[in-house]
Every structure is written in C-alpha cells, then in structure tokens.
Amino acid sequence: MSSLAPDDYTLETTYLNTASYGLPSARALTAVRDAGAGWATGRGGPASSLDLLVPDLRAGFARLLDGATPDDIALGSGVAGLIAPVAAALPPGAEVLLPEGEFSSVSMPFVYRGDLVVRFVPLPELAAQVRPETALVAVSVVQSADGRVTDLAELRAATRAAGARLLVDATQAAGWLPLRFADADYWVCAGFKWLIGARSVAFFATAPELVTELRPVGSSWYAAQDRWAELYRPVALPPTARRFDATPDWLGVIAALAGLSLIEELTVDKIGAHNLELADRFREGLRELGFQPVEARSPIVSVPGAAELAARLEEANVIASARGGGLRFAFHLYNSTDDVERALSALRAA
C-alpha cells in the first residue's frame, strides 16, 4: 500500500513515531516560512492577516469533532492547561476516575490539585467502576503507551447513568478516528501528533450549556468578548468556549491549519483505514518474528518489554519510541507497506 500523503513528503528515515509528533507537510513549512518572511519586514503582527486565520482553525477542528461548532472550540498551547478549568471547578473531595497508565497531561491536573479523590482502575474496567460518588471520568480515546482504544459509547452511558462528567483527550485519535462531540462533556486535543500541526496549538471543546459550570483560570486578553476593544479595559468574557482561549502562537496557527486542511482533503475515514491496515500488517509480522504486540485496533503498535530496541532501530534509520517499557510504533498517512517491511527487517536484524 502506497502512502496517502502527497509527493511533498520525502522522508530520509522510516518514520514510525507519529504518536510522539507528526511530520509537517510541505504546505505547512511553506506557509510558516512565508509568514516568517512577512514578520521580518514588520508586517507579521497579530493584527495582520495571521489572526484572521484563527476562526478557520476553530472551524477546522469543529468539523473533525462531528456535531461541534466553532463557538464550542477554545485554543490553548497544551492539554494540561486546557484541563485546568475542569479540575478547578471540582469541589474538594470530589472523585475523579482515570485508567491506569493514562498519559500524565490528563492525570496530573487532578492528582496535584491536592484535595480530590483520584482513583485509577484498569482501562477495561473503567465504565464498570463509575459510581454515584464519581464526579468526573478523564480518559484518552486512544492510550498513548500502547494504542488501546476506549469504548466511548459504553463509558458515556455509564457516566450519564451516574451523573458524572466525562473528559476525553483526543490527542492520539483526532486525524484518523471519527469522533462525535456528543460522546463527552469536555474534549481536549494537542495538534502536533496525528493532526500534523504545531507543538504550540491545542484545542478544548465543550457545549454551550456547560460553559458556565467552569471558571477560566488565568484569563488571557485574547479571551475577551471584544479583545481588541478591551485591551486596556476588560469588560466581559464571551458566553462560548472561546472564554477559555489563551493567546495563540500565530505561526503555530498557520502550521496547524495547514495540517487540518490536508487531513480534511484526504478524509479521516481514508486515513484511518490506511493507518489500520499498515498496523495490522505490522502486528502480523511481529508475531511471525516471535513478538507479542498489544492487541488493539489502532495505528499505534506496542511491543511490551522491548524498549531497549528503540536505539538499535534508530541506527538502522527506523524511528520508533520507547514508552512504558515497551517499543512503540505508529503508522500515519505518510507511511506505506515499504515502511512496514523495513521496520520488520530492522527488528529481524536487531
């Protein structure tokens, strides 16, 4: 199977590490370079055309989250900071339920608040462990360490039955897995992995009826109702998720928008099918070599206990990552069956 990506992706390595960070397309690099050239002439300030791209970015992410609107989307620079208002809104002693092994950007805002009851359970038991005293469940759609996928429909039913809120991190899912806005109360997503965007751009989404349950933490000038009119005299926050905005990195916005545009052109369905087929082939090849990969319907493939092979693979120009003691591979739109075979050959030689 050939790569889905356009010809502007020419890789010097067998890059199987999108779960760490995605690779920018030529259109993203060109757009950032052109914006940088304008910046150098003194014509690239925030009041220029760069800030006019932000509504397009909100709209692009909203289209990925089926059922969301641009007003439901806030911009930040990282997942943990966007979770902060959710963590701050919980009363002392509230129970937060998370899966064991959850990525720390999701768990740390709750663990280190200091006055919450934070309970970790195995991922397969998460829905069954929701109880009346559970105030919030926080989980990634796809687990960073090993690619296991959360059953959001089951979990959503359990949280609704218990009256608990559900926060979902889509960082390892958005861009290859179809997502529905109604499947969680709060969404967060970093844009530099499967969305092939920028490290400085992340998204938060919540419905209008939930906005007033949260209080912004460290409100930015950019979150004002009329930001340019309120630079020196704050008046009001908007009644939408935009009240949680942080000041964007405009060069990051350019890169993120370019990434979203490519994903939208290729479509999430085609990207997902492509990625999963490559991952399935790779898992089959791993078994033939005597490895036992984690079973998951995901483009993230993890081999427990093989983390030490990551450095040896890099010497063979195969880029994977060591995570949680395992060796983690990730297949995305710029990968092909040739990459699968090269990775398997490198493992055979290792």
Side-chain angles (χ1 to χ4, degrees), residues 46-108:
S48 71
S49 60
L50 298 186
D51 194 52
L52 298 179
L53 298 176
V54 171
D56 292 337
L57 183 61
R58 288 189 213 275
F61 186 73
R63 286 192 295 272
L64 280 182
L65 195 54
D66 185 35
T69 72
D71 280 344
D72 301 322
I73 311 300
L75 300 180
S77 60
V79 161
L82 290 169
I83 290 175
V86 178
L90 293 169
E95 179 179 280
V96 179
L97 184 66
L98 297 109
E100 294 172 350
E102 179 58 72
F103 190 70
S104 59
S105 287
V106 177
S107 60
M108 284 178 67

Side-chain angles (χ1 to χ4, degrees), residues 19 117 158 194 210 312:
V117 176
W194 304 90
L210 300 181
R312 291 160 70 180

Side-chain angles (χ1 to χ4, degrees), residues 76-215:
S77 60
V79 161
L82 290 169
I83 290 175
V86 178
L90 293 169
E95 179 179 280
V96 179
L97 184 66
L98 297 109
E100 294 172 350
E102 179 58 72
F103 190 70
S104 59
S105 287
V106 177
S107 60
M108 284 178 67
F110 306 104
V111 169
Y112 291 111
R113 207 190 92 163
D115 61 353
L116 300 174
V117 176
V118 181
R119 191 161 58 98
F120 291 90
V121 301
L123 181 64
E125 300 176 17
L126 194 61
Q129 289 285 343
V130 179
R131 55 194 188 184
E133 56 264 47
T134 303
L136 178 79
V137 178
V139 64
S140 293
V141 184
V142 177
Q143 288 294 299
S144 168
D146 56 23
R148 289 177 300 159
V149 180
T150 303
D151 186 337
L152 283 184
E154 178 188 34
L155 186 56
R156 186 63 162 151
T159 55
R160 280 179 166 158
R165 296 295 187 203
L166 176 58
L167 182 146
V168 168
D169 182 353
T171 298
Q172 298 289 4
W176 71 267
L177 185 67
L179 302 170
R180 296 192 324 133
F181 186 41
D183 283 343
D185 297 297
Y186 316 114
W187 292 84
V188 290
C189 182
F192 68 100
K193 298 179 186 278
W194 304 90
L195 295 181
I196 55 174
R199 183 65 182 83
S200 59
V201 175
F203 303 93
F204 173 75
T206 192
E209 62 270 19
L210 300 181
V211 165
T212 55
E213 291 185 3
L214 307 179
R215 185 177 64 204

